[in-house]
Amino acid sequence: MSESIKMTGASALVKALEASGVDVMFGIPGGAILPAYDPIFDSKIRHILVRHEQGAGHAATGYAQATGRTGVCIATSGPGATNLVTPLADAQMDSVPMVAITGQVASGAIGTDAFQEADIRGITMPITKHSFLVTKPEDIARSVAEAFHIASTGRPGAVLVDIAKDALQMQTEFNFPKNIDLGGYKPKLEAAPEAIRDAAALIAQSKAPVLYVGGGAIKAEAHRELLKLAELTGAPVVTTLMARGAFPDSHPQHLGMPGMHGTVAAVTALQKADLLITLGARFDDRVTGKLSTFAPGAKIIHADIDPAEIGKNRRADVALIGDLKLTIDALIPALKSEFKKNQPDISAWLTQAYGWRKRFPLGYDHPTDGSVSPQYVIERIGKMSGPDAIYVAGVGQHQMWASQFISYEKPRTWLNSGGLGTMGYAVPAAMGAKVGAPDTTVWAIDGDGCFQMTNQELVTCALNNIPIKVAVINNESLGMVRQWQTLFYNERYSNTELHSKRIPDFAKLADAMGCVGLTCDSTKDVDKIIAQAMEINDRPVVVDFSVHRDAMVWPMVAAGTSNDDIVNARSLAPIWDSQEL
């Protein structure tokens, strides 16, 4: 049985959002969505009026990543909807549950190039898990219920619900489904028992295994099970950019992050392993480097809830399709049974892997000219704020340094745009994270380039009592692009100069937006300024850290090269030669 009450389509939309458990949404009204904003006025759902729709989308993502709940954003038709394209693609790439509600021109005007018309369903079909176009008021509540079900089950993702204006204005009966049963959409939760047995047998035969952990471990809330599995196998663990915090950095089995700017130990362990126990990871090109040369001697166990990922980039010897938490739960007793018959001696492998970790620790040079090291700033923010804080990074050098020099001990404390690599992500995503976790310190670690894309959302934060803290790592440049120009384009710095230490004055800009603006241009003041920022909790804080311009991110696997060619210095000489390995 379902509930039946007469109301407008707009009221049905808001009531359906309430029935879906929504407590906050981020958005901006406009003509086509305006009918929905009248019942929003009376709703228990908190609506946060952002300054740009892109900010609404990234805030919904930050909220979802920090809480594990589905984030919600809302916009009008045409440019309002198209401004959500980037955050929708971003959420989909990183498997973040998000529902976007957009208004559309009246159903009779669709296809006429009406004012503020855009085929947002068609535009977003390739970058969402599903897109709805709703033209009848009676379909609104069901479409919303299905959108939340699709976004939050199986492999999470982004869902768009586009609703024609006349559907919002017409009367309908509110019918919210009690259960969702979608033909053709049945996420498989439990891996096949025979596959579990095969995986356990393969692990028991391995002499050089690695647990290759991706963001799916966090999405599945499988961090406790992961810890049990890791300690049962004794194998080294690597956590991808999206999995930082899924396994404690302080754990002795952790080798760090693999990938283009991963640790030497993590990258090399993957290359030299005889078995990759791949958990919620997708063999992304940033991790594999030149795919044909990736982990050439390794067999692959691939555990993922999305069957489309199995074999997409690397053939799996054993596929474990299902919810990762349940998969690991089933794998542990099967593995214990195997180990009773035969537990391999991996001590030589551990000595080798931990030797790489000791020989090539992450580190950085302090500038000889007296300027501030950006890595030092980020490291000190992490040390002084601790493992309970949430750290949200933009994209570029500062993102990599934040992934390298802050220690992550628990899931949902590291948020970033991994797959799409969206500049401008940090400030609005930090805003969403702070709304979702109001009692937690939230730092946005941003670059001066990223910050200038979406800093208007600081006004939203100031007006809505969302006291995030922003560290602008200001090197006056599009830093990662400049690094590539230094290394590969003969220092020809074409259009990467931002002049950010002159215009704008970030501290004054912050003050003008109702925040506290601070500046730091001396190493000796770093701790004092961070402490000052930590003491301010009634308003957002922006700290402009003026840092050394030519600091680079190391180690590095250049795009298109093999992970065997990992380098650790500007000379680009590979760390390893064939004799060493």
Side-chain angles (χ1 to χ4, degrees):
M1 295 294 292
S2 60
E3 190 177 357
S4 182
I5 306 170
K6 201 79 170 176
M7 61 182 64
T8 65
S11 293
L13 168 63
V14 174
K15 193 168 179 63
L17 291 171
E18 291 173 344
S20 299
V22 177
D23 60 354
V24 64
M25 55 186 172
F26 305 86
I28 302 179
I33 196 66
L34 193 58
Y37 270 78
D38 189 60
I40 285 174
F41 190 78
D42 298 317
S43 174
K44 63 183 181 181
I45 299 173
R46 180 186 183 189
H47 180 282
I48 295 176
L49 177 63
V50 297
R51 267 49 193 171
H52 192 285
E53 290 90 354
Q54 183 180 356
H58 291 318
T61 295
Y63 172 90
Q65 287 178 309
T67 64
R69 304 180 66 193
T70 302
V72 181
C73 55
I74 184 167
T76 195
S77 64
T82 59
N83 281 340
L84 290 177
V85 168
T86 295
L88 281 166
D90 182 86
Q92 180 67 9
M93 284 281 277
D94 287 344
S95 304
V96 178
M98 184 172 88
V99 171
I101 307 294
T102 53
Q104 182 55 275
V105 299
S107 55
I110 292 175
T112 69
D113 290 333
F115 177 65
Q116 289 194 333
E117 181 187 359
D119 178 12
I120 196 62
R121 185 193 183 206
I123 290 168
T124 59
M125 281 181 72
I127 56 165
T128 56
K129 193 173 178 184
H130 192 70
S131 295
F132 293 85
L133 173 60
V134 183
T135 58
K136 298 177 181 178
E138 60 267 27
D139 293 337
I140 291 174
R142 176 184 51 79
S143 297
V144 169
E146 290 177 0
F148 277 84
H149 177 70
I150 293 168
S152 61
T153 57
R155 178 179 182 171
V159 178
L160 174 92
V161 183
D162 191 36
I163 309 174
K165 185 173 183 178
D166 55 327
L168 292 169
Q169 294 170 317
M170 289 189 285
Q171 292 287 311
T172 187
E173 288 189 349
F174 180 73
N175 290 293
F176 191 81
K178 301 298 182 185
N179 299 295
I180 304 295
D181 185 14
L182 298 175
Y185 180 71
K186 306 289 182 189
K188 188 168 182 278
L189 297 182
E190 295 186 1
E194 61 271 21
I196 293 288
R197 290 193 296 269
D198 290 345
L202 206 53
I203 294 170
Q205 296 163 17
S206 170
K207 296 294 181 65
V210 174
L211 288 166
Y212 163 28
V213 180
I218 293 175
K219 304 296 187 299
E221 303 287 353
H223 51 284
R224 295 180 185 87
E225 290 73 17
L226 170 63
L227 182 62
K228 291 177 184 176
L229 178 64
E231 292 182 343
L232 174 61
T233 64
V237 179
V238 303
T239 51
T240 67
L241 181 68
M242 294 306 299
R244 304 291 288 114
F247 191 78
D249 278 2
S250 60
H251 196 284
Q253 288 171 237
H254 194 235
L255 295 183
M257 180 179 75
M260 177 176 274
H261 296 293
T263 66
V264 174
V267 171
T268 306
L270 289 178
Q271 287 300 95
K272 300 304 167 185
D274 68 6
L275 175 66
L276 300 188
I277 307 165
T278 309
L279 305 172
R282 58 188 179 88
F283 294 92
D284 174 67
D285 65 287
R286 298 287 102 164
V287 169
T288 65
K290 186 178 179 181
L291 186 60
S292 62
T293 67
F294 176 68
K299 291 188 175 181
I300 305 295
I301 296 170
H302 194 175
D304 204 289
I305 198 166
D306 184 357
E309 287 298 336
I310 306 298
K312 186 180 81 175
N313 293 327
R314 177 66 179 260
R315 188 185 72 83
D317 294 279
V318 178
L320 300 173
I321 302 171
D323 176 84
L324 190 59
K325 185 185 180 82
L326 298 178
T327 297
I328 299 176
D329 261 340
L331 183 58
I332 286 172
L335 192 55
K336 286 180 178 177
S337 179
E338 283 290 333
F339 280 173
K340 286 178 181 177
K341 294 181 284 184
N342 172 47
Q343 182 156 5
D345 180 4
I346 62 170
S347 57
W349 168 240
L350 296 179
T351 298
Q352 188 177 33
Y354 298 154
W356 294 327
R357 182 176 62 191
K358 183 177 180 180
R359 182 177 172 187
F360 297 105
L362 285 172
Y364 55 89
D365 295 324
H366 287 276
T368 57
D369 62 1
S371 58
V372 180
S373 160
Q375 300 98 318
Y376 177 75
V377 169
I378 293 169
E379 185 176 52
R380 293 306 300 158
I381 289 172
K383 292 285 188 186
M384 295 177 68
S385 301
D388 292 328
I390 294 173
Y391 303 92
V392 187
V395 168
Q397 289 180 312
H398 61 281
Q399 174 193 25
M400 295 297 103
W401 289 324
S403 71
Q404 292 174 331
F405 295 108
I406 294 174
S407 293
Y408 300 98
E409 298 295 314
K410 55 184 70 173
R412 304 195 184 280
T413 55
W414 163 246
L415 316 183
N416 79 124
S417 171
L420 198 64
T422 306
M423 291 181 66
Y425 165 91
V427 169
M431 174 174 70
K434 184 66 173 176
V435 170
D439 298 326
T440 301
T441 298
V442 178
W443 274 99
I445 311 291
D446 221 358
D448 49 312
C450 287
F451 183 68
Q452 291 183 76
M453 291 190 173
T454 52
N455 62 53
Q456 69 272 8
E457 297 310 334
L458 287 170
V459 175
T460 309
C461 291
L463 290 173
N464 289 277
N465 189 30
I466 307 170
I468 66 171
K469 305 181 193 301
V470 183
V472 181
I473 308 302
N474 185 355
N475 62 1
E476 300 183 273
S477 302
L478 298 172
M480 189 63 89
V481 185
R482 179 183 170 87
Q483 175 169 332
W484 280 55
Q485 288 173 332
T486 300
L487 298 175
F488 305 116
Y489 291 89
N490 298 316
E491 301 182 13
R492 289 164 56 85
Y493 299 118
S494 174
N495 291 284
T496 47
E497 172 89 35
L498 291 176
H499 305 284
S500 311
K501 292 180 183 177
R502 295 190 296 109
I503 301 172
D505 183 320
F506 289 137
K508 288 182 179 177
L509 182 64
D511 289 338
M513 291 193 283
C515 309
V516 175
L518 304 172
T519 60
C520 180
D521 57 10
S522 170
T523 301
K524 65 180 176 59
D525 292 333
V526 168
D527 280 16
K528 179 180 71 176
I529 296 294
I530 295 172
Q532 188 176 347
M534 293 285 290
E535 290 170 1
I536 300 168
N537 292 301
D538 60 343
R539 285 172 291 171
V541 183
V542 177
V543 186
D544 180 6
F545 288 99
S546 179
V547 300
H548 183 57
R549 183 172 209 177
D550 290 317
M552 293 193 185
V553 183
W554 303 112
M556 180 179 181
V557 178
T561 67
S562 169
N563 284 348
D564 290 331
D565 298 325
I566 188 170
V567 297
N568 207 22
R570 186 168 170 171
S571 67
L572 297 183
I575 290 172
W576 305 114
D577 60 36
S578 58
Q579 292 180 336
E580 274 196 286
L581 283 178

